[in-house]
Amino acid sequence: MGNDIFGSSNQKGRILAIDYGMKRTGIAVTDEMQMIASGLTTIASGEIIEWLKDYFTKEKVERVLIGEPKQMNNEPSQSAPLIAAFVEKFKVVFPDMPIEHVDERFTSKMAFQTMIDSGLKKKQRQNKALIDEIAATIILQDYLSKKSPF
């Protein structure tokens, strides 16, 4: 009964990726089957915990990925303490939610290149919120491609 194609009882939760920044945070999410990464939104970083509380009540999320920027020599970047403080707060508010750190080097540059490749005008490419959302999507897509058995 619970194994039909619609509403299967063993349905996975979504994976949510966070590209946390000083001012803005880009968010991307998978579909329920964890096959497709899509940009969801960009919100003010100070509002992320409240936004996540609301989102987690509406959607089943299995785990959260947090982008961890590193320098070319693999040392933590300047924003590492900011991200560490967010992760500590996240763990206090959502103690049962698995969180995974993923390397996010080059995602902002890749996001910008994606915008160019998709034909966005210069004015649209200056939208830093869109860059953050695309960067979160790239983090998530990279994670999915590494865990995929295909």
Side-chain angles (χ1 to χ4, degrees):
M1 179 158 157
N3 284 339
D4 64 341
I5 192 165
F6 302 104
S8 171
S9 59
N10 60 0
Q11 190 173 21
K12 297 177 183 178
R14 297 174 187 271
I15 300 172
L16 187 121
I18 297 174
D19 181 30
Y20 189 84
M22 192 178 300
K23 295 180 183 174
R24 290 172 312 280
T25 296
I27 299 173
V29 69
T30 65
D31 59 307
E32 290 89 352
M33 300 298 292
Q34 299 181 2
M35 296 176 73
I36 301 166
S38 303
L40 188 58
T41 189
T42 303
I43 59 171
S45 293
E47 300 170 9
I48 182 77
I49 295 292
E50 288 305 313
W51 187 92
L52 288 169
K53 284 180 187 176
D54 182 56
Y55 189 80
F56 291 163
T57 62
K58 296 176 185 170
E59 299 288 342
K60 182 180 178 198
V61 176
E62 187 176 292
R63 74 178 45 250
V64 171
L65 308 179
I66 181 86
E68 202 165 74
K70 295 188 178 187
Q71 297 176 27
M72 291 301 293
N73 64 1
N74 226 20
E75 291 291 316
S77 75
Q78 289 178 317
S79 57
L82 179 75
I83 293 167
F86 164 71
V87 169
E88 286 308 309
K89 187 173 183 181
F90 180 95
K91 288 178 179 177
V92 169
V93 178
F94 309 107
D96 298 326
M97 178 63 67
I99 189 165
E100 203 168 319
H101 298 267
V102 292
D103 188 351
E104 69 161 38
R105 273 179 286 198
F106 309 119
T107 55
S108 292
K109 286 183 176 124
M110 290 167 64
F112 191 74
Q113 188 61 47
T114 299
M115 293 169 83
I116 292 170
D117 295 346
S118 64
L120 290 180
K121 304 274 185 267
K122 185 175 183 180
K123 186 82 173 155
Q124 294 168 304
R125 293 194 309 259
Q126 291 170 342
N127 179 349
K128 294 193 186 321
L130 184 57
I131 292 172
D132 293 339
E133 184 179 323
I134 293 170
T137 308
I138 291 168
I139 291 167
L140 187 52
Q141 191 62 56
D142 188 51
Y143 176 84
L144 290 176
S145 65
K146 287 177 180 166
K147 90 178 209 39
S148 173
F150 306 108

